[in-house]
Amino acid sequence: MKKTTLALAALLSVTLLVGQAFGATHRVFLVTMDQMDQHWANVDAGCKRAVAELGDINYTWMAPDIKDDAKQIEVINNAVAAGAQALLLAANGPDAVTMALREAEDAGVKIIYVDSPADFPAVATFSTDNKAAGKTAGEEMIKALKAAGKTSGKIGIVNVNAATASTVAREAGFREAFAGTGYEILATQYGEGDVAKSKDIAANYIIQGVVGIFGANEGSTTGTGNAIQEDGNRIIGVGFDNSDSIRNLIRDGALLCAMVQNPDVMGYMGMKAAKEALTSGYSGLDVVDTGVTVMTKDKL
């Protein structure tokens, strides 16, 4: 049995060396937080666009069905076991995946972050400047509130969780925008990015008499908009991301605006960086801001 195993290992090594000599494809996996949000489908689309240009990438998108640290760790481990040479990762939390990433790095896997990094060294990170974008969201809400004659009042925040780096930074920027104003920011509530949970949280904020609600990601924003719509569009809602549901909520007046990221750019640039890292070596910036725009009704 040992001789057979050794023989198979030797054959695999020779096969890999021959494949490399003849320009075999590089095995790259995208691992996102979940499969729910249209945001991740857009990251995947950007990856596929880069793959079509590069021509020598064997690409797979894998993700847990919900935002869950244990499930994301399992997906990372499965990607490494399937022969990943590079991993494009949107980390659900900064610390939970550390051991899995260390094991991946020990196996020779190149790690690139797209959207949300973990607290572990990587080749590069391609993401929104989330704190700055969150502050912009806050400033847009303040302008709308003042225009409506509401110079004070309570503000609710619907976030994903207390760990995801990208959405935590958005909340920090949003709160910063309100520093020194006459508004009271209530304790943040977490809905795990689930639309139904986020709607319930937003509805509870409305019962508490808020004048505005901020949604920190696609699911949080959609749930917030749905609750505001059911209440008759009396509350100012702002949020993040671009989906059919969010555009419709803005069009119908349930949401004021959304901070639209460029997930396709994250995927595209991340895949290009993976190819560089696997061949000539990556020589770009450690952190690349992929930009954000403010989507309002007049920009739909």
Side-chain angles (χ1 to χ4, degrees), residues 128-129 132-134 136 240 258-262 289-294:
T128 302
D129 184 337
T136 298
F240 262 80
M259 306 302 108
V260 176
Q261 304 179 84
N262 292 301
D289 178 9
T290 51
V292 69
T293 57
V294 180

Side-chain angles (χ1 to χ4, degrees), residues 12-28 54-59 83 85 274-275 278-279:
L12 177 60
S13 297
V14 170
T15 301
L16 288 172
L17 288 171
V18 171
Q20 289 168 0
F22 286 91
T25 58
H26 302 288
R27 197 82 173 91
V28 181
L54 295 169
D56 59 352
I57 302 292
N58 185 340
Y59 166 65
Q85 294 172 286
K275 171 64 183 294
L278 291 169
T279 53

Side-chain angles (χ1 to χ4, degrees), residues 153-167:
K154 298 175 182 178
I155 307 294
I157 297 176
V158 184
N159 208 331
V160 177
N161 54 48
T164 301
S166 57
T167 56

Side-chain angles (χ1 to χ4, degrees), residues 43-54 59 264-269 271-272:
V43 175
D44 172 57
C47 288
K48 288 177 177 174
R49 182 160 60 92
V51 168
E53 293 178 10
L54 295 169
Y59 166 65
D264 57 324
V265 176
M266 297 175 194
Y268 179 83
M269 296 183 73
M271 185 61 70
K272 290 290 184 100

Side-chain angles (χ1 to χ4, degrees), residues 41-101:
N42 290 334
V43 175
D44 172 57
C47 288
K48 288 177 177 174
R49 182 160 60 92
V51 168
E53 293 178 10
L54 295 169
D56 59 352
I57 302 292
N58 185 340
Y59 166 65
T60 303
W61 173 26
M62 297 174 65
D65 55 344
I66 60 172
K67 291 179 177 66
D68 180 87
D69 289 335
K71 288 188 175 185
Q72 188 172 56
I73 289 168
E74 183 179 0
V75 171
I76 291 170
N77 291 338
N78 287 342
V80 175
Q85 294 172 286
L87 186 67
L88 307 184
L89 173 66
N92 192 50
D95 302 316
V97 296
T98 298
M99 184 62 69
L101 294 181

